[in-house]
Amino acid sequence: MHVCVIGGSRYVGRRLVERLLASGHRVTVVNRGSSGPPPPAGAEHVVADRDDEAALDAALAAALGDRAFDVVVDQVCYTPRQAAVARRVLGPRTGRYVMTSTVEVYAYEHSPSAPVREDAVDPRTVAVDLSLPWDDPEFLDAHYGEGKRQAEAVFTRDPVVPFTAVRMAHVLGGADDFTGRLTHYADRIRAGEPIAVPAVNHPATYIYVEEAAAFLAWAAEQDFTGPVNAHAHGPLTTRDICAAVTRTTGGAAAVFREVEVGRVSPFSFTRAYAMDNSRATALGHRFGHTADWLDRAVAETLGARR
């Protein structure tokens, strides 16, 4: 297939491109080319700002001519405005569209008795508001899940192309993890400083960075549509992750401080945050278990800091 990956120069996206190339697919990476390393060797590169509709259309026309992609995997669609541009420009140029979404779309759901299924958030019923200040980084950061919800809704309503939203769990692992969340834990554990957690701290579902890339590569080769949850078996608590950090870095066990109000540490949740991956499993994907890779994931990210 000819696969277009929007993003694709770092972290999950880079691993996705490498997997697609290793499987024999032709891969075109579309990004601004303004930061980060170049795409992996073997991938074609189209430099364009996805937020500039005219420039994106012109760049793809120059690169593709009358040809089209078999599938687009959009790693960096964060807002309904970006989705609307992509739908107009890339919709007619591909046979299928796969958007990397997030567990954060379930921000308004809370089900402590059972993991949340895809039908808990139907993008066909999500209101879209293009007038919100989506270009404001602070607003977008505070409304990350809502941006993804509305982006899914744009693609789902009156679709011009078959569409799949991969609702990805929190990703762990990789020496190139840029989030700093595990480093936060390691620094506090080393210093003996308490880690702030909610009084009722719910477990969440996670996925190893390599498994996230593998799932997206697998999804690109399928033909199903609609939202699908992607995560490893075995939810984790803050204590589970901190125990893995301690095993990697050595030293005393983490000290926790329960707080009723105020900021808590990364991967600490005041509501149930576990997803149900039975749809993906029924479609044929086999997920691993967090116990099989948690220590490896932590060691990869913190290895240079041991």
Side-chain angles (χ1 to χ4, degrees):
M1 298 190 302
H2 188 182
V3 183
C4 171
V5 178
I6 306 179
S9 289
R10 65 175 185 168
Y11 207 43
V12 176
R14 188 172 191 85
R15 290 167 171 81
L16 166 63
V17 172
E18 291 170 346
R19 285 178 177 272
L20 292 169
L21 290 169
S23 295
H25 300 302
R26 179 182 178 186
V27 181
T28 296
V29 173
V30 176
N31 60 31
R32 290 178 297 177
S34 58
S35 63
E44 301 170 36
H45 191 194
V46 174
V47 177
D49 182 352
R50 67 168 305 149
D51 296 320
D52 186 333
E53 184 168 351
L56 178 63
D57 186 59
L60 288 172
L64 286 176
D66 295 331
R67 294 174 292 112
F69 299 114
D70 294 292
V71 60
V72 170
V73 182
D74 193 340
Q75 281 284 93
V76 290
C77 185
Y78 300 116
T79 75
R81 289 183 192 168
Q82 292 177 326
V85 169
R87 182 179 174 276
R88 289 191 294 267
V89 175
L90 280 153
R93 289 185 166 101
T94 188
R96 186 162 170 266
Y97 207 100
V98 178
M99 175 189 139
T100 302
S101 190
T102 174
V103 61
E104 301 284 350
V105 301
Y106 300 117
Y108 309 125
E109 320 308 318
H110 180 75
S111 179
S113 60
V116 65
R117 297 171 60 92
E118 290 87 353
D119 57 9
V121 173
D122 183 348
R124 295 171 298 182
T125 67
V126 173
V128 174
D129 189 346
L130 298 175
S131 69
L132 292 173
W134 295 113
D135 296 329
D136 179 352
E138 289 188 6
F139 178 86
L140 181 57
D141 183 63
H143 297 83
Y144 175 72
E146 184 60 25
K148 289 286 192 178
R149 284 165 64 101
Q150 293 194 26
E152 286 188 25
V154 168
F155 281 111
T156 301
R157 294 175 184 174
D158 190 23
V160 295
V161 64
F163 172 71
T164 295
V166 175
R167 293 172 177 171
M168 194 72 72
H170 304 287
V171 181
L172 293 174
D176 52 340
D177 178 1
F178 57 89
T179 65
R181 292 175 292 194
L182 289 177
T183 301
H184 167 87
Y185 284 135
D187 289 345
R188 297 191 75 81
I189 290 171
R190 284 194 186 93
E193 297 177 353
I195 293 170
V197 296
V200 179
N201 188 15
H202 292 274
T205 40
Y206 294 84
I207 192 166
Y208 181 41
V209 62
E210 298 292 349
E211 187 170 33
F215 184 85
L216 288 170
W218 172 82
E221 295 173 337
Q222 309 305 307
D223 60 4
F224 63 86
T225 59
V228 60
N229 294 336
H231 65 86
H233 301 295
L236 298 171
T237 65
T238 310
R239 292 180 184 273
D240 294 328
I241 296 174
C242 286
V245 171
T246 298
R247 289 192 294 270
T248 296
T249 62
V255 176
F256 297 94
R257 175 172 57 87
E258 294 184 353
V259 297
E260 294 289 347
V261 294
R263 296 191 64 176
V264 295
S265 297
F267 302 139
S268 299
F269 303 107
T270 58
R271 60 186 178 81
Y273 227 123
M275 293 191 293
D276 181 314
N277 64 11
S278 59
R279 183 181 187 222
T281 300
L283 287 166
H285 186 81
R286 297 183 63 182
F287 291 100
H289 194 285
T290 55
D292 298 330
W293 53 257
L294 177 59
D295 282 10
R296 179 168 73 252
V298 171
E300 287 174 353
T301 302
L302 300 180
R305 298 172 57 83
R306 294 186 68 171

Tab-separated table of all heavy atoms in Angstrom, residues 16-70:
chain	number	residue	atom	x	y	z
A	16	LEU	N	6.004	3.844	13.892
A	16	LEU	CA	4.980	3.434	12.934
A	16	LEU	C	5.540	3.438	11.518
A	16	LEU	O	5.360	2.470	10.763
A	16	LEU	CB	3.778	4.382	13.030
A	16	LEU	CG	2.761	4.309	11.899
A	16	LEU	CD1	2.106	2.933	11.844
A	16	LEU	CD2	1.717	5.419	12.049
A	17	VAL	N	6.219	4.514	11.129
A	17	VAL	CA	6.791	4.606	9.783
A	17	VAL	C	7.787	3.474	9.549
A	17	VAL	O	7.788	2.826	8.502
A	17	VAL	CB	7.452	5.976	9.571
A	17	VAL	CG1	8.223	6.011	8.255
A	17	VAL	CG2	6.389	7.080	9.589
A	18	GLU	N	8.634	3.215	10.536
A	18	GLU	CA	9.622	2.144	10.390
A	18	GLU	C	8.950	0.792	10.206
A	18	GLU	O	9.390	-0.035	9.388
A	18	GLU	CB	10.541	2.126	11.611
A	18	GLU	CG	11.469	3.338	11.676
A	18	GLU	CD	12.208	3.448	12.997
A	18	GLU	OE1	11.814	2.752	13.967
A	18	GLU	OE2	13.190	4.220	13.069
A	19	ARG	N	7.868	0.543	10.927
A	19	ARG	CA	7.155	-0.730	10.798
A	19	ARG	C	6.485	-0.852	9.426
A	19	ARG	O	6.498	-1.923	8.810
A	19	ARG	CB	6.110	-0.868	11.908
A	19	ARG	CG	6.712	-1.191	13.263
A	19	ARG	CD	5.653	-1.264	14.344
A	19	ARG	NE	6.227	-1.646	15.625
A	19	ARG	CZ	6.383	-2.897	16.044
A	19	ARG	NH1	5.973	-3.903	15.269
A	19	ARG	NH2	6.918	-3.159	17.218
A	20	LEU	N	5.888	0.227	8.959
A	20	LEU	CA	5.242	0.189	7.649
A	20	LEU	C	6.261	-0.075	6.541
A	20	LEU	O	6.024	-0.862	5.619
A	20	LEU	CB	4.496	1.497	7.394
A	20	LEU	CG	3.263	1.751	8.271
A	20	LEU	CD1	2.782	3.191	8.110
A	20	LEU	CD2	2.136	0.769	7.913
A	21	LEU	N	7.409	0.587	6.633
A	21	LEU	CA	8.461	0.368	5.645
A	21	LEU	C	8.966	-1.068	5.692
A	21	LEU	O	9.183	-1.704	4.653
A	21	LEU	CB	9.614	1.339	5.893
A	21	LEU	CG	9.338	2.819	5.577
A	21	LEU	CD1	10.482	3.686	6.122
A	21	LEU	CD2	9.178	3.038	4.074
A	22	ALA	N	9.139	-1.603	6.904
A	22	ALA	CA	9.624	-2.977	7.050
A	22	ALA	C	8.634	-3.984	6.482
A	22	ALA	O	9.032	-5.080	6.051
A	22	ALA	CB	9.899	-3.280	8.519
A	23	SER	N	7.356	-3.619	6.454
A	23	SER	CA	6.329	-4.508	5.890
A	23	SER	C	6.199	-4.373	4.381
A	23	SER	O	5.354	-5.035	3.773
A	23	SER	CB	4.975	-4.215	6.552
A	23	SER	OG	5.022	-4.531	7.932
A	24	GLY	N	7.012	-3.505	3.783
A	24	GLY	CA	7.015	-3.370	2.338
A	24	GLY	C	6.106	-2.301	1.781
A	24	GLY	O	5.946	-2.194	0.559
A	25	HIS	N	5.514	-1.487	2.645
A	25	HIS	CA	4.624	-0.432	2.174
A	25	HIS	C	5.430	0.788	1.728
A	25	HIS	O	6.526	1.047	2.233
A	25	HIS	CB	3.647	-0.015	3.261
A	25	HIS	CG	2.759	-1.119	3.736
A	25	HIS	ND1	1.923	-1.814	2.888
A	25	HIS	CD2	2.597	-1.664	4.968
A	25	HIS	CE1	1.264	-2.732	3.589
A	25	HIS	NE2	1.657	-2.666	4.836
A	26	ARG	N	4.873	1.512	0.809
A	26	ARG	CA	5.422	2.811	0.447
A	26	ARG	C	4.869	3.831	1.428
A	26	ARG	O	3.656	3.853	1.698
A	26	ARG	CB	5.011	3.179	-0.978
A	26	ARG	CG	5.507	4.537	-1.453
A	26	ARG	CD	4.998	4.813	-2.857
A	26	ARG	NE	5.402	6.131	-3.332
A	26	ARG	CZ	4.992	6.656	-4.488
A	26	ARG	NH1	4.161	5.966	-5.275
A	26	ARG	NH2	5.399	7.865	-4.848
A	27	VAL	N	5.736	4.668	1.990
A	27	VAL	CA	5.309	5.590	3.042
A	27	VAL	C	5.699	7.016	2.680
A	27	VAL	O	6.848	7.286	2.321
A	27	VAL	CB	5.928	5.221	4.408
A	27	VAL	CG1	5.441	6.179	5.487
A	27	VAL	CG2	5.583	3.786	4.787
A	28	THR	N	4.727	7.907	2.780
A	28	THR	CA	4.966	9.335	2.634
A	28	THR	C	4.663	10.009	3.953
A	28	THR	O	3.563	9.862	4.499
A	28	THR	CB	4.088	9.945	1.532
A	28	THR	OG1	4.443	9.374	0.270
A	28	THR	CG2	4.281	11.452	1.463
A	29	VAL	N	5.642	10.709	4.499
A	29	VAL	CA	5.473	11.449	5.751
A	29	VAL	C	5.181	12.909	5.411
A	29	VAL	O	5.914	13.530	4.632
A	29	VAL	CB	6.729	11.350	6.630
A	29	VAL	CG1	6.609	12.261	7.853
A	29	VAL	CG2	6.954	9.905	7.066
A	30	VAL	N	4.124	13.439	5.991
A	30	VAL	CA	3.765	14.842	5.810
A	30	VAL	C	3.932	15.555	7.145
A	30	VAL	O	3.301	15.184	8.146
A	30	VAL	CB	2.316	14.999	5.309
A	30	VAL	CG1	1.947	16.476	5.215
A	30	VAL	CG2	2.127	14.309	3.967
A	31	ASN	N	4.795	16.550	7.190
A	31	ASN	CA	4.920	17.392	8.378
A	31	ASN	C	5.556	18.716	7.994
A	31	ASN	O	5.922	18.929	6.829
A	31	ASN	CB	5.701	16.688	9.503
A	31	ASN	CG	7.116	16.307	9.100
A	31	ASN	OD1	7.751	16.974	8.288
A	31	ASN	ND2	7.625	15.219	9.683
A	32	ARG	N	5.703	19.589	8.959
A	32	ARG	CA	6.239	20.923	8.674
A	32	ARG	C	7.742	20.906	8.454
A	32	ARG	O	8.300	21.866	7.916
A	32	ARG	CB	5.904	21.878	9.821
A	32	ARG	CG	4.423	22.223	9.920
A	32	ARG	CD	4.152	23.125	11.094
A	32	ARG	NE	4.492	22.457	12.358
A	32	ARG	CZ	4.406	23.043	13.549
A	32	ARG	NH1	4.002	24.307	13.634
A	32	ARG	NH2	4.719	22.390	14.643
A	33	GLY	N	8.410	19.852	8.898
A	33	GLY	CA	9.853	19.766	8.713
A	33	GLY	C	10.629	20.811	9.472
A	33	GLY	O	11.788	21.080	9.161
A	34	SER	N	10.001	21.388	10.504
A	34	SER	CA	10.633	22.513	11.196
A	34	SER	C	11.335	22.116	12.479
A	34	SER	O	12.079	22.904	13.053
A	34	SER	CB	9.578	23.575	11.531
A	34	SER	OG	8.543	23.022	12.329
A	35	SER	N	11.083	20.900	12.966
A	35	SER	CA	11.710	20.470	14.208
A	35	SER	C	11.847	18.961	14.205
A	35	SER	O	11.157	18.256	13.476
A	35	SER	CB	10.892	20.919	15.425
A	35	SER	OG	9.621	20.309	15.410
A	36	GLY	N	12.747	18.493	15.040
A	36	GLY	CA	12.925	17.061	15.160
A	36	GLY	C	13.742	16.484	14.031
A	36	GLY	O	14.110	17.172	13.073
A	37	PRO	N	14.019	15.191	14.097
A	37	PRO	CA	14.829	14.534	13.071
A	37	PRO	C	14.035	14.365	11.784
A	37	PRO	O	12.806	14.451	11.781
A	37	PRO	CB	15.149	13.175	13.707
A	37	PRO	CG	13.969	12.917	14.612
A	37	PRO	CD	13.593	14.262	15.158
A	38	PRO	N	14.713	14.104	10.672
A	38	PRO	CA	13.996	13.806	9.432
A	38	PRO	C	13.285	12.463	9.540
A	38	PRO	O	13.603	11.662	10.432
A	38	PRO	CB	15.114	13.773	8.383
A	38	PRO	CG	16.338	13.400	9.158
A	38	PRO	CD	16.173	14.055	10.499
A	39	PRO	N	12.338	12.182	8.667
A	39	PRO	CA	11.655	10.880	8.694
A	39	PRO	C	12.649	9.744	8.489
A	39	PRO	O	13.748	9.946	7.976
A	39	PRO	CB	10.669	10.982	7.529
A	39	PRO	CG	10.476	12.446	7.313
A	39	PRO	CD	11.784	13.076	7.644
A	40	PRO	N	12.294	8.522	8.873
A	40	PRO	CA	13.189	7.380	8.686
A	40	PRO	C	13.587	7.196	7.225
A	40	PRO	O	12.822	7.537	6.306
A	40	PRO	CB	12.348	6.197	9.177
A	40	PRO	CG	11.382	6.792	10.151
A	40	PRO	CD	11.061	8.141	9.593
A	41	ALA	N	14.781	6.669	7.028
A	41	ALA	CA	15.269	6.415	5.668
A	41	ALA	C	14.312	5.492	4.934
A	41	ALA	O	13.828	4.504	5.492
A	41	ALA	CB	16.667	5.794	5.738
A	42	GLY	N	14.032	5.833	3.699
A	42	GLY	CA	13.115	5.051	2.886
A	42	GLY	C	11.749	5.671	2.745
A	42	GLY	O	10.984	5.314	1.846
A	43	ALA	N	11.423	6.605	3.635
A	43	ALA	CA	10.138	7.285	3.551
A	43	ALA	C	10.262	8.531	2.682
A	43	ALA	O	11.279	9.231	2.724
A	43	ALA	CB	9.645	7.675	4.938
A	44	GLU	N	9.243	8.804	1.896
A	44	GLU	CA	9.173	10.053	1.157
A	44	GLU	C	8.703	11.157	2.104
A	44	GLU	O	8.018	10.887	3.088
A	44	GLU	CB	8.212	9.896	-0.017
A	44	GLU	CG	8.618	8.789	-0.989
A	44	GLU	CD	7.535	8.480	-2.006
A	44	GLU	OE1	6.837	9.420	-2.432
A	44	GLU	OE2	7.379	7.298	-2.363
A	45	HIS	N	9.084	12.379	1.806
A	45	HIS	CA	8.809	13.469	2.725
A	45	HIS	C	8.145	14.623	1.987
A	45	HIS	O	8.690	15.138	1.011
A	45	HIS	CB	10.113	13.938	3.382
A	45	HIS	CG	9.910	14.869	4.532
A	45	HIS	ND1	10.934	15.620	5.080
A	45	HIS	CD2	8.799	15.190	5.252
A	45	HIS	CE1	10.465	16.332	6.087
A	45	HIS	NE2	9.177	16.102	6.210
A	46	VAL	N	6.980	15.018	2.459
A	46	VAL	CA	6.288	16.193	1.941
A	46	VAL	C	6.249	17.223	3.062
A	46	VAL	O	5.707	16.964	4.141
A	46	VAL	CB	4.860	15.854	1.479
A	46	VAL	CG1	4.110	17.134	1.088
A	46	VAL	CG2	4.886	14.886	0.306
A	47	VAL	N	6.838	18.376	2.830
A	47	VAL	CA	6.870	19.434	3.831
A	47	VAL	C	5.679	20.358	3.610
A	47	VAL	O	5.546	20.974	2.550
A	47	VAL	CB	8.188	20.230	3.751
A	47	VAL	CG1	8.179	21.381	4.753
A	47	VAL	CG2	9.376	19.307	4.014
A	48	ALA	N	4.825	20.438	4.612
A	48	ALA	CA	3.645	21.300	4.517
A	48	ALA	C	3.081	21.524	5.904
A	48	ALA	O	3.182	20.658	6.778
A	48	ALA	CB	2.578	20.673	3.615
A	49	ASP	N	2.490	22.685	6.115
A	49	ASP	CA	1.816	23.015	7.362
A	49	ASP	C	0.360	22.581	7.229
A	49	ASP	O	-0.385	23.136	6.417
A	49	ASP	CB	1.905	24.521	7.620
A	49	ASP	CG	1.258	24.933	8.938
A	49	ASP	OD1	0.602	24.086	9.589
A	49	ASP	OD2	1.402	26.110	9.319
A	50	ARG	N	-0.052	21.605	8.015
A	50	ARG	CA	-1.404	21.072	7.890
A	50	ARG	C	-2.470	22.115	8.212
A	50	ARG	O	-3.640	21.959	7.811
A	50	ARG	CB	-1.593	19.863	8.801
A	50	ARG	CG	-1.542	20.188	10.286
A	50	ARG	CD	-2.020	19.010	11.132
A	50	ARG	NE	-3.334	18.575	10.729
A	50	ARG	CZ	-3.767	17.320	10.815
A	50	ARG	NH1	-2.969	16.386	11.290
A	50	ARG	NH2	-4.990	17.001	10.445
A	51	ASP	N	-2.105	23.162	8.937
A	51	ASP	CA	-3.070	24.204	9.275
A	51	ASP	C	-3.279	25.204	8.137
A	51	ASP	O	-4.213	26.004	8.185
A	51	ASP	CB	-2.617	24.950	10.528
A	51	ASP	CG	-2.586	24.058	11.753
A	51	ASP	OD1	-3.504	23.224	11.901
A	51	ASP	OD2	-1.650	24.185	12.564
A	52	ASP	N	-2.413	25.160	7.137
A	52	ASP	CA	-2.520	26.032	5.965
A	52	ASP	C	-3.123	25.217	4.837
A	52	ASP	O	-2.431	24.490	4.135
A	52	ASP	CB	-1.139	26.563	5.585
A	52	ASP	CG	-1.174	27.595	4.472
A	52	ASP	OD1	-2.116	27.550	3.643
A	52	ASP	OD2	-0.254	28.433	4.414
A	53	GLU	N	-4.435	25.345	4.646
A	53	GLU	CA	-5.143	24.474	3.712
A	53	GLU	C	-4.617	24.601	2.288
A	53	GLU	O	-4.405	23.598	1.597
A	53	GLU	CB	-6.641	24.773	3.751
A	53	GLU	CG	-7.458	23.846	2.870
A	53	GLU	CD	-8.946	23.946	3.129
A	53	GLU	OE1	-9.344	24.615	4.113
A	53	GLU	OE2	-9.721	23.352	2.355
A	54	ALA	N	-4.390	25.815	1.829
A	54	ALA	CA	-3.933	26.019	0.453
A	54	ALA	C	-2.545	25.428	0.249
A	54	ALA	O	-2.268	24.775	-0.767
A	54	ALA	CB	-3.931	27.506	0.112
A	55	ALA	N	-1.650	25.644	1.234
A	55	ALA	CA	-0.294	25.128	1.110
A	55	ALA	C	-0.280	23.605	1.166
A	55	ALA	O	0.472	22.949	0.423
A	55	ALA	CB	0.584	25.707	2.224
A	56	LEU	N	-1.100	23.019	2.036
A	56	LEU	CA	-1.178	21.555	2.127
A	56	LEU	C	-1.699	20.966	0.824
A	56	LEU	O	-1.155	19.989	0.303
A	56	LEU	CB	-2.083	21.155	3.291
A	56	LEU	CG	-2.307	19.655	3.497
A	56	LEU	CD1	-0.989	18.948	3.824
A	56	LEU	CD2	-3.337	19.402	4.606
A	57	ASP	N	-2.726	21.584	0.271
A	57	ASP	CA	-3.300	21.103	-0.988
A	57	ASP	C	-2.274	21.189	-2.118
A	57	ASP	O	-2.115	20.245	-2.907
A	57	ASP	CB	-4.550	21.921	-1.321
A	57	ASP	CG	-5.286	21.388	-2.529
A	57	ASP	OD1	-5.700	20.210	-2.502
A	57	ASP	OD2	-5.427	22.134	-3.510
A	58	ALA	N	-1.552	22.290	-2.182
A	58	ALA	CA	-0.555	22.464	-3.240
A	58	ALA	C	0.598	21.475	-3.090
A	58	ALA	O	1.074	20.902	-4.088
A	58	ALA	CB	-0.026	23.895	-3.216
A	59	ALA	N	1.060	21.255	-1.865
A	59	ALA	CA	2.171	20.333	-1.644
A	59	ALA	C	1.793	18.908	-2.011
A	59	ALA	O	2.585	18.172	-2.626
A	59	ALA	CB	2.619	20.407	-0.184
A	60	LEU	N	0.586	18.502	-1.665
A	60	LEU	CA	0.148	17.143	-2.001
A	60	LEU	C	-0.090	16.995	-3.497
A	60	LEU	O	0.203	15.945	-4.083
A	60	LEU	CB	-1.119	16.801	-1.218
A	60	LEU	CG	-0.921	16.574	0.278
A	60	LEU	CD1	-2.261	16.439	0.979
A	60	LEU	CD2	-0.071	15.329	0.522
A	61	ALA	N	-0.611	18.044	-4.130
A	61	ALA	CA	-0.814	17.992	-5.581
A	61	ALA	C	0.520	17.837	-6.305
A	61	ALA	O	0.639	17.062	-7.267
A	61	ALA	CB	-1.536	19.254	-6.048
A	62	ALA	N	1.542	18.546	-5.820
A	62	ALA	CA	2.854	18.447	-6.450
A	62	ALA	C	3.479	17.077	-6.237
A	62	ALA	O	4.152	16.537	-7.117
A	62	ALA	CB	3.772	19.535	-5.890
A	63	ALA	N	3.249	16.493	-5.071
A	63	ALA	CA	3.860	15.206	-4.746
A	63	ALA	C	3.115	14.030	-5.354
A	63	ALA	O	3.722	13.046	-5.787
A	63	ALA	CB	3.929	15.037	-3.229
A	64	LEU	N	1.790	14.128	-5.431
A	64	LEU	CA	0.977	12.987	-5.853
A	64	LEU	C	0.514	13.051	-7.294
A	64	LEU	O	0.310	12.013	-7.933
A	64	LEU	CB	-0.264	12.874	-4.951
A	64	LEU	CG	-0.082	12.358	-3.535
A	64	LEU	CD1	-1.405	12.423	-2.794
A	64	LEU	CD2	0.443	10.936	-3.522
A	65	GLY	N	0.302	14.235	-7.805
A	65	GLY	CA	-0.327	14.345	-9.112
A	65	GLY	C	-1.748	13.830	-9.029
A	65	GLY	O	-2.522	14.225	-8.155
A	66	ASP	N	-2.094	12.904	-9.911
A	66	ASP	CA	-3.448	12.342	-9.915
A	66	ASP	C	-3.565	11.097	-9.049
A	66	ASP	O	-4.642	10.493	-8.970
A	66	ASP	CB	-3.866	11.994	-11.352
A	66	ASP	CG	-3.994	13.227	-12.235
A	66	ASP	OD1	-4.316	14.296	-11.683
A	66	ASP	OD2	-3.760	13.115	-13.451
A	67	ARG	N	-2.468	10.677	-8.424
A	67	ARG	CA	-2.493	9.464	-7.613
A	67	ARG	C	-3.111	9.747	-6.242
A	67	ARG	O	-3.332	10.886	-5.865
A	67	ARG	CB	-1.073	8.908	-7.440
A	67	ARG	CG	-0.444	8.421	-8.744
A	67	ARG	CD	1.013	8.015	-8.556
A	67	ARG	NE	1.863	9.161	-8.253
A	67	ARG	CZ	2.457	9.361	-7.096
A	67	ARG	NH1	2.292	8.485	-6.115
A	67	ARG	NH2	3.219	10.428	-6.893
A	68	ALA	N	-3.386	8.686	-5.494
A	68	ALA	CA	-3.972	8.820	-4.163
A	68	ALA	C	-3.301	7.839	-3.216
A	68	ALA	O	-2.657	6.875	-3.637
A	68	ALA	CB	-5.477	8.557	-4.212
A	69	PHE	N	-3.462	8.101	-1.932
A	69	PHE	CA	-2.978	7.173	-0.913
A	69	PHE	C	-4.002	6.057	-0.711
A	69	PHE	O	-5.207	6.261	-0.895
A	69	PHE	CB	-2.781	7.900	0.422
A	69	PHE	CG	-1.780	9.022	0.374
A	69	PHE	CD1	-2.191	10.335	0.563
A	69	PHE	CD2	-0.436	8.762	0.155
A	69	PHE	CE1	-1.273	11.370	0.542
A	69	PHE	CE2	0.492	9.804	0.125
A	69	PHE	CZ	0.069	11.108	0.315
A	70	ASP	N	-3.528	4.905	-0.293
A	70	ASP	CA	-4.452	3.848	0.112
A	70	ASP	C	-5.023	4.136	1.493
A	70	ASP	O	-6.189	3.851	1.766
A	70	ASP	CB	-3.731	2.495	0.119
A	70	ASP	CG	-3.314	2.064	-1.271
A	70	ASP	OD1	-4.199	1.772	-2.088
A	70	ASP	OD2	-2.101	2.054	-1.542
